Amino acid sequence: MLEIRCSGTPHEIGFTHGRLAKERIEGSITFYAQLFQESCSMSWAEVLQEASKYVEPLKKIAPRYLVEINGIADGADIPFLDILALNVRSEIAFGLFSDTSNGVADVPSDGCTSLGWLTGSKSFLCQNWDWRVEQSPNLIICHISHSGLDIPDIAMVTEAGIIGKIGFNSKGVGCCLNAIRCRGLDRSKLPIHFALRTVLESESRKEAVERVKSFGVAGGGHILVGDATGSTGLECTSLWVRELPMDDEGRVFHTNHLVLDKSDIDEPPWLEDSPLRLARIRELTCSISEPTFDAIFDVFKDTKGYPASINRKQHVNSKPQTLFNIVMDLSSKSAQVTLGRPTEYSELVALAF
């Protein structure tokens, strides 16, 4: 897995990202161009037209992130809108799904199973990230350090070209992501990957939760936020961001459906396995008497319900597969990333501050 280190001003951070990850960014664009064409009969030119609608709103709420995206474009010698499209790809899909007049009844989205667990002495934050196998070569580990700004350093796993994803920072604040497919889109709020970056720039779980709730999120998703004091789930829709607290055992679980009150949200049935995976990870963690790093990693190897299991495998009727696993120990500001399914990973990377 390509590992890059980006530092300096927002434009310099982006430029280094673009220069060092150019081939993988091109791979991400090719992947999503094909996906939108095959799934939604939408050309990449039409995707870019949709992406352009986010420029003005983002100038108001996240101008620094636009500067970084422009830096990525400059460093990779790729047009700005192509990079922006990668960063709002979830919202473009939500827009298609929410507009019932266009005849698009289904849009693909990444799956995932996530867990936050405050034990006696540790705070773990972890997940399997499930998506199409074709995107696996375009995953990178990105380290970010801002010059002249009081922002923690960041280490994250991301799709090349995307400025915010799954990881943690030098203050021990981390985040995971679960896709939620519900109708509704508000471009005046943060796209989900911008919200993830906002978490990664926060100094505590409390601050991260407050910032995401203050900005709001443009569409559906679940962001699991953690630090050394524990974890909070944030179920996000275009209408609201609501908190999912730890249970009596210090755990927060999530898969790919809303679990809080959603009486005001249209969430058509999507992944039949999502409730099953949620129940399964609860069951597996209940059987662990001593939640160690290795014991938690083993949870994500589970294949009950295969191929649509926690440890997911691409199959004829189940296209996503687990592309990486991350287990973060936020108490010690360290993490382990494995590329591939946890039972057959091809690479292991240790991260630490």
Side-chain angles (χ1 to χ4, degrees), residues 318-330:
S318 179
K319 293 184 178 180
Q321 177 166 304
T322 298
L323 300 191
F324 74 86
N325 168 271
I326 184 168
V327 179
M328 296 173 260
D329 177 353
L330 299 177

Side-chain angles (χ1 to χ4, degrees), residues 34 36 121 164 175 198 206 220 226 237-238 264-265 294 317 348:
Q34 292 174 346
F36 275 105
S121 59
C175 60
T198 299
K206 181 175 183 291
T237 73
S238 62
D264 54 349
I265 299 297
D294 290 339
N317 296 318
L348 185 153

Side-chain angles (χ1 to χ4, degrees), residues 4 53 63 77 128 193 214 243 257 349:
I4 63 174
K53 298 176 182 178
D77 194 23
N128 278 354
H193 290 98
S214 173
E243 296 182 39
H257 63 283
V349 181

Side-chain angles (χ1 to χ4, degrees), residues 115-119 123-124 230-231 245-252:
L115 166 67
W117 197 350
L118 180 64
T119 69
S123 179
F124 293 105
S231 299
M246 292 180 284
D247 65 13
D248 292 341
E249 302 299 321
R251 301 167 302 183
V252 181

